[in-house]
Amino acid sequence: IKRIQQERNRLKPGAVKWYHPMETFHGIRALRAAVDMSGVLRQGGPIAFAHPLLAAKAFKKSLGPAFSDEKANSLDREIWRRPNATSGLYDRANLFLSREDKMSTREEAFMSRLVGNIPVLGHLVKGSERAYTAYLNSLRADTFDYMTKTLTRSGKPTDLEAKAIANYINVATGRGGIGLSDSAMETATTIFFAPRYMLSRFQLALEPLKLIDPRSPGYSGRVRWMMAQEYARLIGGMSAFYLMASLAWGDRKDYKRNLTDPSKSDFGKIQLGPRTYLDPGMGMFQTARIVNSMYRGFVRTIHPERPLTAEEKKQSSVADIGRFARTKLAPLPSLFLDLVGGTDVMGKPVKM
């Protein structure tokens, strides 16, 4: 009770009445996200495929914080003592580095403050949060330092160029946004599991358009060339992964099932068995699939060939969008829909 009162006192008066309901949403998500290590190749995947050595270095740094508050604090101090931090470039560029002082500056998978106080289980969640945050903070800072250092070979980067680099890194590591305020995005996390991450995958797919748009702020000639190289590394890294997967499992009869068909739910996934899948897509293939579904629905509307059958209506773009949104819901809203509808997102019966 004392801990709860202390946390309530830290909030603004108008936010107190919303604190407990939001803590319930955030706490359950934190419990779901604990120990899954998704940040390594999910949020951090685009950077990891493009710069595997930087990702390996960041992963090594995150192991200590998983078990020690002091090591987490030590890594945090090391990052904020770097030249780009002390000169204020991180802040001026809006590079996102997670902090615990506000809900909006925490990683959205671990926005709960009270769940860490649960005996035993709380230590597990806090350890997972420290490792998750340490990995992504280190990866973002290391990548920003590397890219700005590469850029300085032809002169010191301007603030606009630094912002363009930081924006790419933020989006690539799952910190997307569409201009909404921090409070609005924080509210969205009560409905969706990870709204910034979901938006980031659409933004990452659209980022290359900035390379050909002369009005893109901060995209000077040297920044465009650097970003083109980043996307080339990303594509090359993913191609190498699929090549190695083909060499390792290509002779399995399930390997290529639905792998290259964007109309299938298993698009981009490597099927290793009846119920075993490997998904190296970092959420990108889900984005491609829903865009493909919307495109097919649009073309079918303009050029109707025949009336849709009942089965085709189930597979229509509207149904696909609904399923996509449902898979992105936070645990409590998802459970509510399951109980109301009587089935989960996969169509399996759900009972109280």
Side-chain angles (χ1 to χ4, degrees), residues 235-308:
I235 295 172
M238 292 190 67
S239 299
F241 182 88
Y242 275 103
L243 175 61
M244 290 187 291
S246 177
L247 295 175
W249 302 298
D251 57 343
R252 298 182 64 103
K253 66 177 182 179
D254 294 323
Y255 173 77
K256 293 184 179 180
R257 184 180 177 184
N258 300 335
L259 177 63
T260 59
D261 186 351
S263 66
K264 303 296 183 181
S265 61
D266 301 331
F267 172 57
K269 298 178 183 177
I270 300 170
Q271 186 170 4
L272 305 180
R275 298 183 180 180
T276 306
Y277 293 86
L278 186 63
D279 182 9
M282 311 159 290
M284 291 297 298
F285 292 126
Q286 288 179 311
T287 302
R289 182 175 176 271
I290 196 64
V291 170
N292 174 73
S293 177
M294 293 172 66
Y295 172 75
R296 286 189 295 109
F298 176 73
V299 171
R300 185 65 186 275
T301 301
I302 298 177
H303 303 289
E305 299 173 359
R306 57 179 172 77
L308 293 175

Side-chain angles (χ1 to χ4, degrees), residues 58-72:
F59 179 74
K60 182 179 178 180
K61 290 179 181 179
S62 71
L63 296 179
F67 304 97
S68 169
D69 266 323
E70 178 53 39
K71 289 185 178 180

Side-chain angles (χ1 to χ4, degrees), residues 22-77:
M22 293 185 72
E23 264 299 324
T24 302
F25 284 82
H26 298 327
I28 294 176
R29 178 174 49 247
L31 291 172
R32 286 278 303 272
V35 201
D36 69 352
M37 298 298 290
S38 63
V40 177
L41 291 178
R42 197 73 172 170
Q43 280 78 3
I47 302 296
F49 277 115
H51 300 281
L53 294 181
L54 287 179
K57 182 181 176 182
F59 179 74
K60 182 179 178 180
K61 290 179 181 179
S62 71
L63 296 179
F67 304 97
S68 169
D69 266 323
E70 178 53 39
K71 289 185 178 180
N73 293 333
S74 177
L75 177 61
D76 194 56
R77 288 193 296 269

Side-chain angles (χ1 to χ4, degrees), residues 151-295:
L151 202 68
T152 55
R153 294 174 184 173
S154 56
K156 185 178 179 181
T158 66
D159 284 356
L160 280 178
E161 288 176 328
K163 283 184 178 181
I165 293 172
N167 179 69
Y168 166 77
I169 294 171
N170 290 343
V171 168
T173 54
R175 199 69 187 179
I178 51 175
L180 296 177
S181 65
D182 288 339
S183 60
M185 293 304 298
E186 185 178 335
T187 302
T189 59
T190 64
I191 303 173
F192 297 100
F193 193 94
R196 285 190 181 276
Y197 171 73
M198 178 176 64
L199 290 172
S200 74
R201 290 317 177 234
F202 287 96
Q203 288 181 272
L204 186 62
L206 296 174
E207 280 289 304
L209 295 179
K210 293 182 179 180
L211 299 179
I212 58 176
D213 184 358
R215 299 169 298 175
S216 299
Y219 272 70
S220 60
R222 57 180 183 172
V223 170
R224 293 177 197 276
W225 173 241
M226 173 180 286
M227 293 301 181
Q229 290 178 308
E230 289 299 307
Y231 278 97
R233 288 191 183 100
L234 172 57
I235 295 172
M238 292 190 67
S239 299
F241 182 88
Y242 275 103
L243 175 61
M244 290 187 291
S246 177
L247 295 175
W249 302 298
D251 57 343
R252 298 182 64 103
K253 66 177 182 179
D254 294 323
Y255 173 77
K256 293 184 179 180
R257 184 180 177 184
N258 300 335
L259 177 63
T260 59
D261 186 351
S263 66
K264 303 296 183 181
S265 61
D266 301 331
F267 172 57
K269 298 178 183 177
I270 300 170
Q271 186 170 4
L272 305 180
R275 298 183 180 180
T276 306
Y277 293 86
L278 186 63
D279 182 9
M282 311 159 290
M284 291 297 298
F285 292 126
Q286 288 179 311
T287 302
R289 182 175 176 271
I290 196 64
V291 170
N292 174 73
S293 177
M294 293 172 66
Y295 172 75

